[in-house]
Amino acid sequence: MTKRLLVLGLICCGIFLIVKCQLDPEKATDSQIQKSELSYLGHHDSVAYVGINTCKQCHRDKYESFIRTGMGSSFGRGDSLKSSANFNGHQTIFDEHLNYYYRPFWKGQQFYLQEFRLDSENDTIYSKEVVVDYIVGSGQHTNSHIYSLNDHLFQMPFTWYAQKGKLDFPPGYENGFNARFDRIIGLECMSCHNAMPTGFVKGSKNKFATVPQGIDCERCHGPGGAHVKKIQNGDLTDTSKFIDYSIVNPAKLSSQLQFEICQRCHLQGNMVLKDNKSFFDFKPGMKLSTVMDVYLPKFEGEEDKFIMASHVDRFKSSKCFQQSESYNCTSCHDPHVSVKETNSQIFNSKCISCHKSETICSEDPLKIKEKEDNCVGCHMPSSGSIDIPHVSVHDHFVRKNYTSIDTSGIGNFIGLIAINNEKPSQKSKARAYLQ
């Protein structure tokens, strides 16, 4: 009997120490932390989203900073507060294939798009005016526009390209492919450009019972219902010593799982859902490949051609990423602070922290001055993308030597590559090509 009690006691002590180690980030190994990530309460479907206004009650400073970021201002009402456009009252675009003109204009605070046709005498022979209900895009690069018809959302045939101050068709509407007012805004679009839950009506293609007003805290931290309930019950966790499993703090995740959160939306491509999965199913702390495989087309000799939201794909090609076990997006980017408010010296200091022996740049002093003594200017230069016109974005393929970047044309097609999964199934590959 004594032996049995002794054995039982040792087993209980062992379990206690294992659990203690898993909950204590200072003592847990990487593998233990990764296993414990499966324990986040927000991964359960029963945990509700609470919205950014609930989060800001306790995290006001983070809220005030975050809403000024591109993510925080990713979506909004179709009003002058959200729009970054300056049409000067006369800008129009013309579709020579369908013979339609488009003119955005304001009536007070209400935003409209007029579609019209002219005869040979320049008299209007057809006119249609549609209200702009929503604007998608922070305005740093673009504003695109959405209208609602009985809660069904559709894209409108005009985009404001903020960097060039230019009005033009949205990507994919050019060269005779103008969808006019018929391109649906479905869950795949909304699940990256807006908060979760999206308000999407399951079973529909593009019906939304409610529409959030921008990416919020729970996109990166997961649903907060369990966390709010825990705090309201007075159950507090000393997060300097332990992990609070009622909410995901990405800083407590392994480097790879932090990366997974970013690549959910900064890895644009052909998304192939796994069986019985939907765009609702990925949550912070999970591997993206358990929900979907993301494919990108590869072309011969096209190292310097990339699409707009290919930050992850490009970054994975960098030695900075390949030769480090912990380097990821948040090594340089604070998701709570706008890149427009981040001093270039902060980015430079990140470079120098790894390249201490190379702090004296060997480049020509005139070129260093031209780039304003900024590492990013030479090693991550701005470039156009092959999928979105009139915009430039920093190439996240960090390299020492750049040749001139050419984004025109496409080389011979090699195939579709699953960027987030080294071993996709044959079924997944087939779906990617069919899509």
Side-chain angles (χ1 to χ4, degrees):
M1 187 67 178
T2 305
K3 278 187 175 180
R4 287 182 180 176
L5 288 173
L6 180 60
V7 170
L8 184 60
L10 289 172
I11 291 173
C12 290
C13 287
I15 292 172
F16 172 78
L17 288 173
I18 290 171
V19 173
K20 176 79 167 91
C21 187
Q22 285 185 331
L23 295 179
D24 187 343
E26 299 299 322
K27 297 180 180 179
T29 64
D30 286 344
S31 61
Q32 287 170 333
I33 289 175
Q34 289 175 22
K35 287 177 183 176
S36 69
E37 283 158 353
L38 302 176
S39 303
Y40 280 102
L41 299 182
H43 289 181
H44 296 277
D45 292 336
S46 60
V47 178
Y49 289 88
V50 297
I52 194 169
N53 287 325
T54 299
C55 301
K56 77 176 181 181
Q57 293 178 32
C58 295
H59 304 282
R60 187 83 193 194
D61 58 333
K62 291 289 191 293
Y63 165 82
E64 295 290 354
S65 176
F66 177 76
I67 60 173
R68 299 196 298 272
T69 67
M71 291 187 292
S73 54
S74 62
F75 205 97
R77 299 283 179 188
D79 57 33
S80 59
L81 294 176
K82 174 60 182 160
S83 177
S84 65
N86 179 11
F87 303 117
N88 297 320
H90 56 76
Q91 287 206 36
T92 61
I93 48 178
F94 176 59
D95 181 352
E96 62 182 11
H97 300 277
L98 297 180
N99 192 30
Y100 285 116
Y101 290 87
Y102 295 93
R103 180 179 71 91
F105 66 96
W106 297 90
K107 286 183 182 178
Q109 288 296 305
Q110 189 65 67
F111 198 6
Y112 289 85
L113 179 69
Q114 179 190 21
E115 177 186 68
F116 63 99
R117 274 179 171 160
L118 302 176
D119 64 13
S120 58
E121 303 297 324
N122 283 331
D123 288 328
T124 301
I125 56 174
Y126 158 82
S127 179
K128 173 181 179 178
E129 294 180 1
V130 179
V131 173
V132 178
D133 291 299
Y134 301 105
I135 295 175
V136 57
S138 67
Q140 182 175 338
H141 296 102
T142 65
N143 276 169
S144 286
H145 306 84
I146 294 172
Y147 80 100
S148 176
L149 181 62
N150 299 323
D151 296 328
H152 292 76
L153 300 189
F154 299 86
Q155 185 168 5
M156 304 178 78
F158 76 113
T159 289
W160 175 254
Y161 294 93
Q163 287 174 310
K164 292 193 175 180
K166 182 178 178 65
L167 177 69
D168 205 345
F169 287 110
Y173 278 66
E174 316 94 331
N175 304 317
F177 291 98
N178 179 7
R180 299 180 64 204
F181 298 92
D182 294 332
R183 180 189 277 182
I184 67 171
I185 298 296
L187 179 58
E188 181 173 354
C189 301
M190 195 69 81
S191 66
C192 266
H193 286 284
N194 215 336
M196 294 290 280
T198 61
F200 180 75
V201 177
K202 292 183 178 180
S204 73
K205 288 185 177 179
N206 62 327
K207 186 175 183 179
F208 293 81
T210 58
V211 180
Q213 299 299 299
I215 294 168
D216 65 9
C217 315
E218 292 169 295
R219 287 310 307 263
C220 296
H221 294 277
H227 181 63
V228 170
K229 184 177 180 180
K230 177 176 178 290
I231 299 302
Q232 288 175 340
N233 289 337
D235 182 3
L236 306 179
T237 300
D238 183 354
T239 54
S240 66
K241 297 179 180 178
F242 306 104
I243 295 175
D244 182 353
Y245 285 93
S246 69
I247 194 76
V248 174
N249 178 354
K252 301 291 185 179
L253 296 174
S254 64
S255 180
Q256 179 57 41
L257 286 185
Q258 291 180 42
F259 201 59
E260 300 284 339
I261 297 173
C262 302
Q263 70 178 2
R264 167 63 183 92
C265 292
H266 290 272
L267 182 56
Q268 176 188 342
N270 185 349
M271 297 180 178
V272 178
L273 290 167
K274 300 297 178 71
D275 290 339
N276 302 314
K277 296 293 185 181
S278 82
F279 291 104
F280 288 114
D281 290 328
F282 174 78
K283 294 176 181 176
M286 297 170 60
K287 289 199 71 175
L288 185 60
S289 59
T290 62
V291 176
M292 68 186 76
D293 294 331
V294 184
Y295 290 83
L296 285 176
K298 295 297 180 181
F299 303 92
E300 287 182 0
E302 303 303 319
E303 185 180 77
D304 291 324
K305 293 180 172 63
F306 55 91
I307 61 176
M308 181 74 173
S310 59
H311 308 88
V312 168
D313 175 41
R314 301 296 287 175
F315 184 46
K316 281 184 172 181
S317 301
S318 310
K319 287 185 178 180
C320 297
F321 174 79
Q322 295 170 353
Q323 297 181 359
S324 172
E325 294 182 357
S326 60
Y327 198 51
N328 60 37
C329 309
T330 56
S331 298
C332 294
H333 291 285
D334 182 344
H336 298 111
V337 180
S338 170
V339 292
K340 293 188 290 186
E341 298 175 13
T342 305
N343 189 290
S344 62
Q345 291 306 313
I346 292 177
F347 293 116
N348 282 347
S349 66
K350 298 292 184 181
C351 300
I352 293 170
S353 66
C354 290
H355 298 276
K356 293 176 182 176
S357 62
E358 304 167 26
T359 52
I360 300 176
C361 184
S362 59
E363 186 53 80
D364 184 298
L366 290 177
K367 188 170 184 180
I368 295 174
K369 185 177 180 180
E370 176 192 340
K371 299 297 181 180
E372 298 179 344
D373 202 21
N374 183 8
C375 306
V376 170
C378 285
H379 301 288
M380 296 176 61
S382 291
S383 169
S385 66
I386 63 173
D387 61 329
I388 300 182
H390 316 309
V391 301
S392 62
V393 62
H394 283 288
D395 184 2
H396 280 61
F397 181 4
V398 187
R399 295 176 267 179
K400 187 171 184 179
N401 297 311
Y402 266 90
T403 56
S404 59
I405 294 180
D406 173 23
T407 57
S408 63
I410 296 177
N412 293 325
F413 178 65
I414 298 172
L416 293 175
I417 307 298
I419 302 301
N420 69 317
N421 187 355
E422 293 182 357
K423 297 180 180 179
S425 68
Q426 293 300 317
K427 186 177 182 180
S428 174
K429 289 181 183 178
R431 285 179 174 174
Y433 279 97
L434 288 171
Q435 287 179 189

